[in-house]
Amino acid sequence: GWKEFYTPEQFEKIKLGFTDKTLIAQEFPETVEEAFLHSGRAAFSRDLVVKLGEKVSKPHYTGVLSDDGVKVRLKEEAGAALSIWKVPREQRQYIVSADVAEGVSGGDYSVAQVLDRASWEQVAVWRGHIEPGEFGSLLVKMGRFYNNALLIPELNNHGWATIERIKADGYPHLFKPSQLWSETNESKEGFPTNVKTRGLIISALRNALDELTVVLNDAVTVGELQSAIVDDGEKVCAPEGYYDDCLMSLAIGVYCLKFFGLD
């Protein structure tokens, strides 16, 4: 740490030499944790993500959802992929935003974030490896469990299979890009991720974090925010060996929350 080499007065002079203040912790970390967080240019405020990490909590329930054809029920199971901080409340409305992966063990994760449309609180997270089509059926269960929530799966290579399964299961509350962008083909479903929309959702997430309008409970999600960096192409991403699936699914949800009221 810099305190082993410089006095506070000397360090203040060193900091004056940085135009980009976010690089100070990278070049002159104070602790091991700070050095780890700033091995690249941090995508989000270090002070902010540290505070977020102090507020996370253990889920009240972990388990799996079962559908008996009448109602979707939660079966508690230790170590399951679904973590719940708040069960659905009567008269509350929710969205389920999702990042879809290939489903290969050891690869990227598929992640679904459940957000309360009034409080912007992260009330549940599903994170695991699952075949994209099966993920669609899982999202339907999550949507039904959370008061017929609006499903917002990512529209990418693997997302097609997820979206087709949601439609095949007859779930009616599926996001369409035309709900946000009038020039988009009316028949498309799912949230399109491209260079333009990626910038939009990251900006929305950064603003929500800075303004403390989104409430996070999940330690894994906050961990991805802590490790996220900005690469040489100005793209927010995960460092090698880390993941950004929770981050991206959260960003999609936060962006959509800006536009969907409670009606």
Side-chain angles (χ1 to χ4, degrees):
W2 64 262
K3 288 184 177 180
E4 298 180 44
F5 303 95
Y6 306 101
T7 66
E9 292 76 17
Q10 289 173 322
F11 189 57
E12 286 302 315
K13 292 181 180 179
I14 289 171
K15 290 196 292 184
L16 293 174
F18 283 85
T19 303
D20 185 349
K21 301 303 182 185
T22 63
L23 295 176
I24 294 174
Q26 175 180 318
E27 301 300 329
F28 293 92
E30 182 176 342
T31 64
V32 172
E33 289 76 19
E34 191 169 65
F36 168 76
L37 290 177
H38 289 275
S39 57
R41 198 171 110 210
F44 303 96
S45 163
R46 186 194 72 84
D47 291 338
L48 178 63
V49 294
V50 168
K51 289 179 181 178
L52 289 173
E54 294 171 352
K55 295 181 179 180
V56 299
S57 60
K58 292 183 178 180
H60 292 296
Y61 307 98
T62 59
V64 296
L65 296 176
S66 62
D67 185 355
D68 60 8
V70 177
K71 187 175 181 179
V72 177
R73 293 178 171 81
L74 172 66
K75 178 183 178 182
E76 291 189 64
E77 182 179 305
L82 177 62
S83 298
I84 293 177
W85 286 265
K86 288 187 177 180
V87 294
R89 295 164 57 190
E90 189 175 352
Q91 304 300 322
R92 302 292 281 197
Q93 297 181 31
Y94 304 89
I95 66 169
V96 183
S97 53
D99 184 272
V100 185
E102 188 177 1
V104 178
S105 179
D108 289 342
Y109 287 87
S110 288
V111 177
Q113 303 268 2
V114 184
L115 302 172
D116 186 307
R117 288 171 64 171
S119 66
W120 287 36
E121 181 177 3
Q122 178 189 49
V123 296
V125 177
W126 191 96
R127 179 177 184 263
H129 295 107
I130 186 172
E131 189 272 327
E134 292 180 15
F135 191 41
S137 291
L138 172 66
L139 290 177
V140 169
K141 291 178 185 177
M142 292 180 69
R144 290 186 58 202
F145 186 70
Y146 275 94
N147 299 346
N148 293 314
L150 176 66
L151 301 184
I152 314 175
E154 179 186 20
L155 176 60
N156 61 9
N157 293 335
H158 310 304
W160 284 104
T162 300
I163 291 167
E164 288 303 311
R165 180 64 65 85
I166 293 171
K167 292 163 62 178
D169 287 353
Y171 191 78
H173 310 297
L174 179 59
F175 171 82
K176 290 185 176 183
S178 58
Q179 292 175 274
L180 296 185
W181 303 290
S182 57
E183 69 277 10
T184 307
N185 187 327
E186 284 279 350
S187 64
K188 286 187 176 181
E189 289 100 353
F191 192 94
T193 50
N194 50 46
V195 174
K196 178 182 178 180
T197 59
R198 189 181 179 97
L200 292 174
I201 65 176
I202 292 298
S203 293
L205 177 58
R206 187 176 284 119
N207 291 338
L209 294 173
D210 290 342
E211 296 168 7
L212 302 177
T213 52
V214 62
V215 181
L216 300 181
N217 295 310
D218 178 42
V220 177
T221 300
V222 172
E224 290 189 6
L225 294 173
Q226 290 175 335
S227 62
I229 61 171
V230 180
D231 65 15
D232 294 337
E234 296 301 308
K235 177 183 176 182
V236 172
C237 60
E240 185 176 355
Y242 294 84
Y243 298 96
D244 63 359
D245 313 299
C246 292
L247 186 161
M248 294 304 298
S249 54
L250 177 66
I252 291 171
V254 167
Y255 179 77
C256 291
L257 281 174
K258 296 192 329 178
F259 301 95
F260 292 117
L262 295 174
D263 56 353

